[in-house]
Amino acid sequence: HTHTHTHKRSFTGIKGNFEYSYNPCTGYEEGGCKNNNAVCQSSKASCGRQPGAKFDTTKNPPTLTYYNGDQPPFPQKRISTISLVCDEGTDHKMETKDDPVKSEYVFTLTSKYACVQKNPPPPVTTQPPITRPIQPTTTSGGHTKQKTDNPISLGTILDLCVFFVLLSYFTIGFAFMYVRRGARGSEAIPNREFWIALPGLVKEGCLLIVGKVRRRGSGYESL
């Protein structure tokens, strides 16, 4: 079922080989032009209807095209294309160069309402710099000092540097011993004798330090 529209035509008396009327936005009825008609020829035949209308802004000037007009006597249904021409000094003027042999109709609508509205650019706002809040901390003496939120400390950076140096040392050294010298298993560890002796050297160093501290402590007691 097709709804009946009683809206009036916006443009009338458009002269060509025939006389046309037109409503750009809503369908209307006029004589034999029914069923959501957009462009009517001599109150007898629809040259395009509102459903499926296409607005094309890629063309210069932009166009509105209406499809599914009446077919007879043409082999295809009639189509109407309206070119929207901007003219600030004209309220509205509609013209046509129709060709009754073809089923395609071309109109030109010149109007100040076809001009693109130029809006002012939005104001540029400057965002203030983002600062991290300073958190107060309390020392053992009850004094309060400011602490900044620093996720990476100097000690962490040094630890990472030592880790990557050792990793590179063992990786390159192991590859060298394995490929160039044909070492396998623990024999491929670079400077193997040093690393085997390292725990003992650390132990001897700790015992030496503890012994010196004990001797110094016993000297204080004798005094």
Side-chain angles (χ1 to χ4, degrees), residues 53-95:
K54 180 181 178 182
F55 183 43
D56 191 350
T57 58
T58 62
K59 295 181 179 179
N60 188 17
T63 59
L64 264 171
T65 303
Y66 301 89
Y67 302 90
N68 298 318
D70 293 334
Q71 183 172 341
F74 304 110
Q76 296 179 345
K77 292 185 177 181
R78 307 185 193 202
I79 299 173
S80 292
T81 300
I82 290 87
S83 297
L84 305 175
V85 178
C86 168
D87 187 350
E88 296 286 357
T90 303
D91 188 75
H92 63 273
K93 181 178 69 174
M94 194 157 182
E95 301 170 306

Side-chain angles (χ1 to χ4, degrees), residues 14-22 39-41 47-48 59-66 74 77-85 93-110:
I14 306 166
K15 300 292 185 179
N17 294 327
F18 297 89
E19 186 172 321
Y20 299 88
S21 61
Y22 170 55
V39 180
C40 183
Q41 183 191 70
C47 297
K59 295 181 179 179
N60 188 17
T63 59
L64 264 171
T65 303
Y66 301 89
F74 304 110
K77 292 185 177 181
R78 307 185 193 202
I79 299 173
S80 292
T81 300
I82 290 87
S83 297
L84 305 175
V85 178
K93 181 178 69 174
M94 194 157 182
E95 301 170 306
T96 182
K97 297 179 181 179
D98 64 325
D99 187 347
V101 178
K102 297 181 179 179
S103 60
E104 298 181 8
Y105 298 82
V106 178
F107 299 85
T108 301
L109 174 58
T110 305

Side-chain angles (χ1 to χ4, degrees), residues 2-24:
T2 304
H3 294 281
T4 301
H5 293 266
T6 58
H7 297 95
K8 295 182 179 180
R9 55 200 187 278
S10 300
F11 301 93
T12 59
I14 306 166
K15 300 292 185 179
N17 294 327
F18 297 89
E19 186 172 321
Y20 299 88
S21 61
Y22 170 55
N23 189 319

Side-chain angles (χ1 to χ4, degrees), residues 16-201:
N17 294 327
F18 297 89
E19 186 172 321
Y20 299 88
S21 61
Y22 170 55
N23 189 319
C25 300
T26 56
Y28 68 97
E29 291 186 359
E30 180 180 288
C33 302
K34 301 180 182 298
N35 300 333
N36 278 311
N37 176 72
V39 180
C40 183
Q41 183 191 70
S42 302
S43 301
K44 294 180 179 180
S46 173
C47 297
R49 292 183 165 87
Q50 290 290 343
K54 180 181 178 182
F55 183 43
D56 191 350
T57 58
T58 62
K59 295 181 179 179
N60 188 17
T63 59
L64 264 171
T65 303
Y66 301 89
Y67 302 90
N68 298 318
D70 293 334
Q71 183 172 341
F74 304 110
Q76 296 179 345
K77 292 185 177 181
R78 307 185 193 202
I79 299 173
S80 292
T81 300
I82 290 87
S83 297
L84 305 175
V85 178
C86 168
D87 187 350
E88 296 286 357
T90 303
D91 188 75
H92 63 273
K93 181 178 69 174
M94 194 157 182
E95 301 170 306
T96 182
K97 297 179 181 179
D98 64 325
D99 187 347
V101 178
K102 297 181 179 179
S103 60
E104 298 181 8
Y105 298 82
V106 178
F107 299 85
T108 301
L109 174 58
T110 305
S111 173
K112 61 183 179 182
Y113 303 108
C115 300
V116 177
Q117 299 295 323
K118 297 181 180 180
N119 297 324
V124 179
T125 56
T126 330
Q127 296 292 338
I130 301 175
T131 57
R132 295 180 179 270
I134 299 177
Q135 301 175 355
T137 57
T138 305
T139 61
S140 58
H143 300 287
T144 301
K145 64 179 182 179
Q146 302 295 333
K147 178 183 178 182
T148 57
D149 186 11
N150 189 3
I152 301 179
S153 63
L154 178 61
T156 302
I157 296 175
L158 293 176
D159 291 341
L160 290 174
C161 292
V162 172
F163 171 77
F164 285 114
V165 168
L166 290 176
L167 180 62
S168 302
Y169 167 79
F170 280 106
T171 302
I172 297 174
F174 185 86
F176 176 81
M177 297 291 291
Y178 187 90
V179 175
R180 297 296 298 272
R181 297 189 177 180
R184 298 293 184 268
S186 60
E187 297 293 333
I189 299 175
N191 297 318
R192 175 174 174 271
E193 293 77 9
F194 169 76
W195 295 109
I196 292 177
L198 181 62
L201 296 175

